Amino acid sequence: MFNTLDDLTPEQRVLVRLDLNSPVEDGEVQDNRRFDRHAETVRELADAGHRVVLMAHQGRPGGDDFVSLEQHADILTDHVGRDVQFVADTYGEVAIDAIESLSAGEILLLENTRMCDEELPEEDPEVKADTEFVQTLAPHFDAYINDAYSAAHRSHASLVGFALELPAYAGRVMETEYEANSSIATREFDGQVTMVVGGTKATDVINVMNNLGDKVDQFLLGGIAGELFLRAAGHEVGFDLDGMDFFDDQWEANRETIEALLDERGDQIKLAVDLAYEDDTDERGEIAVANITTKDRAYLDVGTMTVDEYEPIIRDSEAVFVKGALGLFEDERFATGTVGVLEAISETDCFSVVGGGDTSRAIEMYGMDEADFGHVSIAGGAYIRALTGAPLAGVEVLTQD
Ligand SMILES: Nc1ncnc2c1ncn2[C@@H]1O[C@H](COP(=O)(O)OP(=O)(O)O)[C@@H](O)[C@H]1O
Ligand SMILES: O=C(OP(=O)(O)O)[C@H](O)COP(=O)(O)O
């Protein structure tokens, strides 16, 4: 498929692309799982005696989270257990001097790739390979390693350009993410395959169903997307109330597709049988979908009866994939659906993949152990692209001969 670190010649000068893009609060970069995961690749390379130069991005120009990578170097140092040096330059003389001064086993992080004008515009790999950024840096290296699966849907210079100029390899995170997230499309499972789909975007759910409908036995729905399917099934839910803009625009844009999916794949699609809301005393209330007769309240989670219906399906599955939360799990009162299905998955020995930036956060928030899942993705946009069969530019250049 692609070359990995196992194929790398010893003691090389390696240029490694990571995805350390992180939440930034009041200018402070927040530690998160991306550091922990990439640290394994970086440590392995340093331990093997390579000279390790790292590239990554943070935010986009104009955004509050568009900051230097200086803090990222400190956080990464803690995770790798070795010093990660930092240079406030992307490919100028200062960066080149720092790169050339490295000894075997040393690690250097370059400045935010998006501070370089040639990084961002989405262009073909050949155009990116021809930029001054790539042409200046590449001659200082023997190999390019892309570990940034979660940014691989972007055709940016640091993600696609170097692979055309240098022998290219997948890092450990790239390898693991690619295999797990593609497995639903590429692997044959003996038993039942179940997909839990929720979240806020109906198009994600629709595209996943269209792409994987023949691979998945049961889709278990929830979240905003699930409510739109309930609306298509004739229930009085999935409408915007005052001040909301979750539903009506999505309904206009996707109504026919959702109705057609229910028509064609109704047997595969399980909808919530009850929903949860905030009652007059700010507590969680629940109501059976069949008893909802007026459009007068917002629903923030699937109900307990729904979880009781979904759990046995998960327990009987050979493989379970998750995309999107079943409710507003960030509020403990409305975490029952999301946490219920995740706990059921963690208690079985099925093969499982949990993805989507927000959904996988629920695992940590509610004290579940990542080790009880087959794979917890650190990707958001790239994960949904993998599930919907869309190409990832950064993966495609790694797989070219
Ligand atoms: N009924 C709901 N009302 C409001 N928000 C919801 C509801 N159901 C799900 N959500 C929100 O959906 C978000 C996840 O949506 P999405 O971005 O599609 O998935 P992911 O980030 O996992 O890819 C969660 O943060 C959750 O709070
Ligand atoms: O965090 C990322 O993607 P994600 O928000 O889909 O997880 C990647 O670093 C890509 O960043 P971008 O969406 O600013 O290009």
Side-chain angles (χ1 to χ4, degrees):
M1 158 73 233
F2 34 50
N3 288 322
T4 70
L5 302 194
D6 299 327
D7 305 302
L8 202 54
T9 313
E11 298 188 16
Q12 303 269 286
R13 298 169 302 161
V14 295
L15 180 62
V16 190
R17 179 55 155 100
L18 308 179
D19 184 4
L20 301 178
N21 195 32
S22 304
V24 177
E25 285 171 21
D26 299 326
E28 202 168 311
V29 175
Q30 306 295 301
D31 194 357
N32 65 86
R33 293 169 314 146
R34 286 182 175 170
F35 287 94
D36 202 38
R37 297 278 178 90
H38 285 301
E40 285 187 35
T41 299
V42 175
R43 195 180 311 112
E44 180 177 340
L45 289 167
D47 284 351
H50 300 291
R51 290 166 168 77
V52 185
V53 176
L54 308 173
M55 293 186 293
H57 73 275
Q58 173 62 55
R60 279 179 184 254
D64 289 344
D65 62 349
F66 183 59
V67 299
S68 163
L69 297 192
E70 191 171 5
Q71 296 176 65
H72 300 68
D74 291 338
I75 301 172
L76 196 57
T77 294
D78 291 342
H79 286 279
V80 177
R82 281 170 174 253
D83 186 34
V84 176
Q85 303 168 38
F86 171 71
V87 60
D89 189 15
T90 48
Y91 70 95
E93 260 178 48
V94 180
I96 302 297
D97 282 351
I99 292 166
E100 289 301 323
S101 309
L102 279 189
S103 305
E106 286 190 326
I107 307 161
L108 170 72
L109 175 62
L110 303 178
E111 183 56 288
N112 189 343
T113 53
R114 291 183 180 178
M115 291 186 180
C116 166
D117 290 343
E118 293 171 318
E119 167 75 344
L120 270 176
E122 289 269 344
E123 290 164 319
D124 289 343
E126 291 73 17
V127 177
K128 289 308 192 189
D130 223 21
T131 56
E132 196 178 298
F133 173 32
V134 172
Q135 290 297 323
T136 308
L137 272 189
H140 295 273
F141 295 94
D142 305 306
Y144 168 74
I145 297 164
N146 191 351
D147 211 26
Y149 177 89
S150 49
H153 51 306
R154 308 295 186 203
S155 193
H156 297 162
S158 63
L159 292 155
V160 297
F162 292 99
L164 304 194
E165 296 296 307
L166 290 164
Y169 303 81
R172 295 300 180 207
V173 174
M174 170 66 79
E175 208 183 332
T176 312
E177 288 273 0
Y178 178 80
E179 273 167 23
N181 302 343
S182 312
S183 62
I184 191 163
T186 55
R187 245 172 90 165
E188 291 294 329
F189 294 98
D190 292 335
Q192 176 169 280
V193 178
T194 299
M195 177 121 213
V196 179
V197 277
T200 54
K201 295 178 272 315
T203 47
D204 280 358
V205 173
I206 290 166
N207 292 339
V208 166
M209 282 183 180
N210 280 332
N211 188 48
L212 297 174
D214 296 335
K215 300 272 182 181
V216 172
D217 297 294
Q218 297 281 320
F219 289 100
L220 311 182
L221 267 72
I224 303 286
E227 272 191 62
L228 287 165
F229 275 71
L230 283 170
R231 178 169 168 178
H235 298 286
E236 301 289 333
V237 301
F239 298 88
D240 281 331
L241 302 173
D242 270 355
M244 261 192 196
D245 65 351
F246 274 143
F247 296 107
D248 293 341
D249 288 349
Q250 295 205 68
W251 175 253
E252 291 311 321
N254 301 297
R255 173 191 183 151
E256 281 171 23
T257 318
I258 295 174
E259 285 173 348
L261 276 167
L262 281 174
D263 225 30
E264 287 158 24
R265 298 197 178 272
D267 293 349
Q268 287 170 270
I269 299 174
K270 288 260 176 292
L271 301 179
V273 293
D274 59 345
L275 293 169
Y277 57 91
E278 187 176 59
D279 71 13
D280 297 340
T281 58
D282 292 346
E283 298 291 319
R284 176 187 173 100
E286 295 196 352
I287 182 167
V289 170
N291 294 337
I292 299 173
T293 50
T294 49
K295 307 167 194 163
D296 60 354
R297 56 163 82 103
Y299 297 100
L300 299 168
D301 193 11
V302 299
T304 318
M305 285 194 302
T306 303
V307 178
D308 289 345
E309 289 209 353
Y310 287 180
E311 270 179 1
I313 298 172
I314 288 168
R315 288 185 204 289
D316 286 344
S317 296
E318 172 82 15
V320 183
F321 293 80
V322 180
K323 167 66 187 89
L326 297 191
L328 184 70
F329 70 84
E330 293 86 347
D331 181 330
E332 215 171 310
R333 294 169 302 168
F334 303 109
T336 307
T338 306
V339 172
V341 297
L342 288 173
E343 278 181 349
I345 295 168
S346 72
E347 285 160 12
T348 66
D349 55 7
C350 66
F351 175 76
S352 61
V353 180
V354 181
D358 286 320
T359 314
S360 40
R361 221 163 17 93
I363 291 176
E364 195 181 349
M365 240 180 113
Y366 291 96
M368 289 171 268
D369 188 350
E370 279 197 9
D372 291 329
F373 297 85
H375 177 69
V376 179
S377 177
I378 53 172
Y383 179 66
I384 188 70
R385 277 177 176 74
L387 297 182
T388 56
L392 298 173
V395 171
E396 289 198 322
V397 290
L398 288 185
T399 55
Q400 279 171 9
D401 290 330

